[in-house]
Amino acid sequence: QVQLVESGGGLVQTGGSVRLSCVASRGTFSSYTMAWFRQAPGKEREFVARIGWLSGITYYADSVKGRFTISRDNGKNTAYLQMDSLKVEDTAIYYCAATYKSNTVIKPDYWGQGTQVTVSS
């Protein structure tokens, strides 16, 4: 059973930056494709970014492409989401997710509890 714990959320102004971290415990971190999702108030959860377990290839939602960067440090069992040029519409709860040896993240195996990011104008 993999446990994921996110941190780094908070209140930031438009145009600012935040870095989220997701620490995994138990399991073999390098065997998981890591992803970030988000859920804004009144909306469904949506995909934000993912990074492959084997290739490290990254993929982003169009809404964040060029502004967000996903990365991972397998030695620290940690995935990151660097969020730059933040917009009010980026306000959401951000969730980390892990999918075992898969190049897709349609149905992650594990989820974190989420961390709130609020962007003020």
Side-chain angles (χ1 to χ4, degrees), residues 25-64:
S25 59
R26 305 175 187 169
T28 304
F29 181 76
S30 59
S31 296
Y32 289 85
T33 286
M34 300 302 297
W36 290 92
F37 291 76
R38 68 184 180 185
Q39 187 167 19
K43 296 187 177 181
E44 293 187 354
R45 188 177 299 184
E46 65 174 1
F47 166 80
V48 175
R50 73 168 189 257
I51 183 166
W53 68 280
L54 188 62
S55 63
I57 292 176
T58 58
Y59 184 80
Y60 299 91
D62 288 343
S63 58
V64 306

Side-chain angles (χ1 to χ4, degrees), residues 49-119:
R50 73 168 189 257
I51 183 166
W53 68 280
L54 188 62
S55 63
I57 292 176
T58 58
Y59 184 80
Y60 299 91
D62 288 343
S63 58
V64 306
K65 201 172 296 182
R67 300 188 298 120
F68 290 11
T69 303
I70 188 171
S71 61
R72 64 190 299 157
D73 184 337
N74 289 340
K76 295 183 178 180
N77 289 355
T78 302
Y80 303 97
L81 185 67
Q82 178 67 41
M83 307 163 62
D84 299 319
S85 302
L86 283 162
K87 305 175 181 180
V88 171
E89 50 265 41
D90 293 319
T91 295
I93 299 174
Y94 284 74
Y95 297 90
C96 175
T99 309
Y100 185 69
K101 291 187 177 179
S102 174
N103 292 322
T104 66
V105 292
I106 297 174
K107 293 187 68 177
D109 298 305
Y110 302 102
W111 292 90
Q113 83 289 349
T115 186
Q116 176 73 47
V117 174
T118 302
V119 184

